[in-house]
Amino acid sequence: MRFSDSAIELCLTLKSLFNLPLRQVTGLVASLIKLAGLDWPVPDYTTLCRRQKTVKVELGGRPSSGGLCLLVDSTGIKMTGEGEWKTRKHGASYRRQWRKPVLS
């Protein structure tokens, strides 16, 4: 089966973000697709290994000293540097940032 560059790029992005081996990435993607209730095929280890040579993944951003919390839903990606409990307890001390994923 032939997978699009976008599908391979998603898998390789998850690999880079979570520092996972390719076999664990295939399991993660299969679990996410199953949780979403979809019946889509998942790129296997051999496909990812072969295509990672041609599909380049660039993670933008800058390194930070603290962690980054991401909440992904159907409306976008919410990026906060501090916990939600602090915001509820003390109020927002910074402007919230939202990013819309661009699918191409």
Side-chain angles (χ1 to χ4, degrees):
M1 170 167 276
R2 175 82 177 153
F3 292 96
S4 68
D5 284 346
S6 297
I8 301 298
E9 186 176 355
L10 170 72
C11 294
L12 296 176
T13 300
L14 291 173
K15 176 187 182 298
S16 296
L17 282 175
F18 296 111
N19 197 22
L20 297 173
L22 288 176
R23 293 194 194 277
Q24 288 181 1
V25 170
T26 58
L28 173 65
V29 172
S31 296
L32 292 174
I33 289 175
K34 184 178 178 183
L35 283 173
L38 301 171
D39 189 26
W40 292 354
V42 177
D44 60 357
Y45 170 81
T46 306
T47 303
L48 288 176
C49 189
R50 188 177 54 239
R51 298 275 303 275
Q52 75 179 347
K53 297 172 186 170
T54 59
V55 177
K56 298 297 179 200
V57 175
E58 292 188 26
L59 299 176
R62 59 181 187 265
S64 66
S65 60
L68 174 68
C69 301
L70 291 177
L71 173 65
V72 180
D73 61 7
S74 62
T75 60
I77 299 174
K78 179 180 176 184
M79 300 185 319
T80 62
E82 300 170 356
E84 286 297 314
W85 65 270
K86 179 181 179 257
T87 303
R88 286 193 301 269
K89 186 172 182 179
H90 302 291
S93 60
Y94 52 88
R95 182 173 170 238
R96 297 236 189 277
Q97 298 178 5
W98 288 89
R99 299 286 189 257
K100 273 290 199 189
V102 178
L103 303 174
S104 56

